[in-house]
Every structure is written in structure tokens, then in C-alpha cells.
Amino acid sequence: MPTVSAAQLRERAEQAAAKLAACDLCPRRCGVNRTAGELGFCGIGRRAVVASYGPHFGEERPLVGRGGSGTVFFSGCNLRCVFCQNDDISHGRQGREVDEAQLAGIFLAVAAAGCHNLNLVTPSHVAPQILGGVGLALVAGFDLPVVYNTGGYDTPETLRLLEGVVDIYMPDYKFSDPEPAERYLGAPDYPIVVRAALKEMHRQVGDLVIDDRGVAGRGLLVRHLVMPFGRADSEAALRFLAEEISPRTYTNIMDQYRPCHRARQFDELARRPFPEEMAEVYAAARRVGLTRLDKPAW
Ligand code: SF4
């Protein structure tokens, strides 16, 4: 649950919304005037677009508990992953345009459904709208932990506006090397950006704290998707987490890569990772000293 006051939250929402006039919310820094209807790389204007919302039971165990994680899927994205599994939402921009009052209504509906948290999926390009919506929801009694479920392409400046509002940061750490980051995300600076973002997120919330019920209330949870042929350079990502964030970084090493969207245009991405490739990444996690993996069998 946000710890900033309603007045502080209003101020943050205003500061964030001011960025929309020459948008530099994310590292793309498109400079477009979203308040006047101009669209930048993410394709979303002044209002957020929500594709769907409701309890979700497919997220990490500490988010799901018994009541589920209250996901809100935002349309548009500031990355262009060639292997995107939600292409219709991220790039097709399906969904309903909502103002901040409607967004607050969605957040309250998620709370009323008995979810353990509000899980904001792909939020980076709509941080101002989220701050406005959370502010209105708070006044109406909203009290869930807020999860920022991001691709990791976030600026420290925007993240600082979220301090005391976001309880759990759940970023991806996709690539450690600029070459695959450019080839598969269209963002050669992704490795530098995600490392700075991870540091800022951890500074704000620390390691993941899980209560007696097995439910997370605060902290950092990192996702790393293993790619075929070692294209995600997994050991470098895991080593960074262990050495420069914390060996107690709660990390989900994900095995669900499959060739979606445009991935089959890249020969090296046209298959799932083999079990032995997954085993090697789990071994690397042990080697670098990570102690908390979201994997029962490792
Ligand atoms: S949020 Fe969208 S418009 Fe703003 S800088 Fe990022 S991609 Fe560009």
C-alpha cells in the first residue's frame, strides 16, 4: 500500500503528467506532446489504454497466494521485442481508453475481487496516469501493495516519482549485451538502462519480503527469460544481480520462451531452450551466489 500522503501523490502525479508535454518518461525520450494527441514510440497518448484486468493465477507464487494477483494489462509498450508474447496488446494496442477516475475504478475493482496486490503490467509509458489513478483510489480506501511489472526499460527519474507508491518492483532483465538488445528489442542501451533501473528499484524497496502466508508485501522480484543458444547471456545477468544488487535478489529464471511474433525471422530464436540449456542457467545462478530462485526444482 502506498506510504506517501494523498497530497504528495497528487504532486507526484502532476510532476509526472508534466512530462507528457514533451515526453521523456522513458529512455526513448521521444519529446512528443502526448497531451496534444501526439504519439511517440509507445503509441499511447494522454490517456492510458487498458486491455484487461482481474485476478491472475499464473504469476510467481509470492504474488498469487490464494487470492490471485490483480493484474491490469496496459496496451502499448516502449520496447519492440521480436519475441513478444502479447503482441496484440503491446503493439496492436487493443483495449479501452480510460481516464484517471476510470483507472481508479479498475484498481478498486481488483481490490474488491480479493487479490493480494495490484499488478500493473507494462506500466512504464503510463506512469503519470497510474499515479493519478492510485491517488484517486487511495481516497476511496484502496489498500493493496502495488506491483510494477515492467520490461525494465525505465529511467531513474521516472522511478523516483514512484517511490513510496510502488511496493514491489518486478522488472525483466532481458539482455546484458547491446548487440542482442538492439537486434531483438530495438534498444541497444537496454543493458545500461536496466542496470541503473534495478539499482534504483532496489534502493527504494530492498530484497523481497514474504510473509507467513507465502505472500510478498514489498521488495524486488526479477524475471530473466532464458533464450536459445545463450542469446540472453544469462550468466552475466545473474552475476550482476548477485554482485551489484544482492545475492538475496528473488529471481525467476523463466523457461517459457517460445518463438512468438517475429521471432521465427531469426534462425537462432526459432526454438525453445533445451532442458540442458536451462540446467546450465540454474547452475550459473548457484555459481554466482544467488540464493532465492522462484524454481522449486533447481
Ligand atoms: S513513454 Fe512513450 S512517448 Fe514517452 S518517451 Fe517513452 S516511448 Fe516515447
Side-chain angles (χ1 to χ4, degrees), residues 54 60 73 92 115 123 137 139 149 164 208 217 239 252 261 289:
E60 284 76 355
F73 285 86
C115 298
V139 173
N149 182 344
L208 194 71
R239 187 177 297 285
N252 183 4
H261 189 35

Tab-separated table of all heavy atoms in Angstrom, residues 54 60 73 92 115 123 137 139 149 164 208 217 239 252 261 289:
chain	number	residue	atom	x	y	z
A	54	GLY	N	-8.043	-8.150	-13.790
A	54	GLY	CA	-8.719	-9.145	-12.956
A	54	GLY	C	-7.720	-10.072	-12.291
A	54	GLY	O	-6.505	-9.978	-12.521
A	60	GLU	N	4.167	-15.337	-10.307
A	60	GLU	CA	5.032	-16.005	-9.338
A	60	GLU	C	4.256	-16.287	-8.044
A	60	GLU	O	3.387	-15.505	-7.637
A	60	GLU	CB	6.244	-15.123	-9.036
A	60	GLU	CG	7.293	-15.108	-10.138
A	60	GLU	CD	6.931	-14.260	-11.353
A	60	GLU	OE1	5.798	-13.728	-11.410
A	60	GLU	OE2	7.772	-14.127	-12.265
A	73	PHE	N	-3.556	-5.069	-17.420
A	73	PHE	CA	-2.692	-5.095	-18.605
A	73	PHE	C	-2.861	-3.793	-19.387
A	73	PHE	O	-3.957	-3.502	-19.886
A	73	PHE	CB	-3.051	-6.280	-19.506
A	73	PHE	CG	-2.570	-7.611	-18.973
A	73	PHE	CD1	-3.344	-8.321	-18.077
A	73	PHE	CD2	-1.353	-8.133	-19.356
A	73	PHE	CE1	-2.906	-9.546	-17.573
A	73	PHE	CE2	-0.904	-9.345	-18.863
A	73	PHE	CZ	-1.679	-10.054	-17.967
A	92	GLY	N	-0.361	-3.970	-31.027
A	92	GLY	CA	-1.667	-3.768	-31.654
A	92	GLY	C	-2.512	-2.756	-30.885
A	92	GLY	O	-3.485	-2.241	-31.399
A	115	CYS	N	-7.865	-9.859	-4.482
A	115	CYS	CA	-6.482	-10.105	-4.918
A	115	CYS	C	-5.500	-9.633	-3.838
A	115	CYS	O	-5.824	-8.768	-3.030
A	115	CYS	CB	-6.206	-9.354	-6.217
A	115	CYS	SG	-7.252	-9.894	-7.580
A	123	PRO	N	3.805	-0.904	-17.394
A	123	PRO	CA	3.330	0.388	-16.899
A	123	PRO	C	4.209	1.586	-17.280
A	123	PRO	O	3.805	2.730	-17.059
A	123	PRO	CB	3.420	0.193	-15.377
A	123	PRO	CG	4.646	-0.672	-15.212
A	123	PRO	CD	4.683	-1.581	-16.418
A	137	ALA	N	-7.840	6.306	-6.108
A	137	ALA	CA	-8.258	5.050	-5.464
A	137	ALA	C	-7.961	5.078	-3.966
A	137	ALA	O	-8.749	4.577	-3.153
A	137	ALA	CB	-7.557	3.869	-6.139
A	139	VAL	N	-7.990	7.574	-1.915
A	139	VAL	CA	-9.020	8.361	-1.226
A	139	VAL	C	-10.269	7.503	-0.987
A	139	VAL	O	-10.975	7.657	0.014
A	139	VAL	CB	-9.378	9.624	-2.057
A	139	VAL	CG1	-10.538	10.368	-1.465
A	139	VAL	CG2	-8.159	10.529	-2.174
A	149	ASN	N	5.227	-4.104	-12.857
A	149	ASN	CA	5.611	-5.286	-13.636
A	149	ASN	C	6.114	-4.807	-15.002
A	149	ASN	O	5.339	-4.648	-15.938
A	149	ASN	CB	4.360	-6.166	-13.740
A	149	ASN	CG	4.586	-7.460	-14.474
A	149	ASN	OD1	5.577	-7.632	-15.173
A	149	ASN	ND2	3.640	-8.358	-14.339
A	164	GLY	N	7.631	5.157	-2.720
A	164	GLY	CA	6.570	5.251	-1.711
A	164	GLY	C	5.187	4.939	-2.272
A	164	GLY	O	4.208	4.920	-1.538
A	208	LEU	N	13.053	-8.859	-1.618
A	208	LEU	CA	11.641	-9.232	-1.486
A	208	LEU	C	11.358	-9.775	-0.081
A	208	LEU	O	12.076	-10.652	0.417
A	208	LEU	CB	11.281	-10.284	-2.537
A	208	LEU	CG	9.780	-10.509	-2.731
A	208	LEU	CD1	9.133	-9.302	-3.418
A	208	LEU	CD2	9.525	-11.767	-3.566
A	217	GLY	N	5.003	-8.704	0.220
A	217	GLY	CA	4.422	-7.406	0.536
A	217	GLY	C	5.252	-6.248	0.027
A	217	GLY	O	4.738	-5.138	-0.181
A	239	ARG	N	24.949	-12.721	-12.602
A	239	ARG	CA	26.114	-12.238	-11.838
A	239	ARG	C	25.898	-10.783	-11.400
A	239	ARG	O	26.214	-10.401	-10.274
A	239	ARG	CB	27.391	-12.362	-12.679
A	239	ARG	CG	28.675	-12.044	-11.895
A	239	ARG	CD	29.911	-12.259	-12.754
A	239	ARG	NE	30.071	-13.645	-13.177
A	239	ARG	CZ	30.485	-14.638	-12.395
A	239	ARG	NH1	30.792	-14.399	-11.137
A	239	ARG	NH2	30.594	-15.863	-12.864
A	252	ASN	N	13.292	-15.056	-10.823
A	252	ASN	CA	12.566	-16.076	-11.571
A	252	ASN	C	13.286	-16.301	-12.890
A	252	ASN	O	13.252	-15.456	-13.784
A	252	ASN	CB	11.116	-15.635	-11.826
A	252	ASN	CG	10.313	-16.710	-12.553
A	252	ASN	OD1	10.818	-17.805	-12.800
A	252	ASN	ND2	9.082	-16.392	-12.892
A	261	HIS	N	5.437	-13.903	-32.285
A	261	HIS	CA	5.537	-12.635	-33.014
A	261	HIS	C	6.503	-12.783	-34.197
A	261	HIS	O	6.282	-13.614	-35.053
A	261	HIS	CB	5.950	-11.544	-32.019
A	261	HIS	CG	5.907	-10.154	-32.538
A	261	HIS	ND1	4.971	-9.710	-33.424
A	261	HIS	CD2	6.714	-9.075	-32.279
A	261	HIS	CE1	5.188	-8.440	-33.705
A	261	HIS	NE2	6.244	-8.032	-33.028
A	289	GLY	N	26.101	-17.164	-6.884
A	289	GLY	CA	25.751	-16.922	-5.479
A	289	GLY	C	24.338	-16.451	-5.216
A	289	GLY	O	24.035	-16.023	-4.094
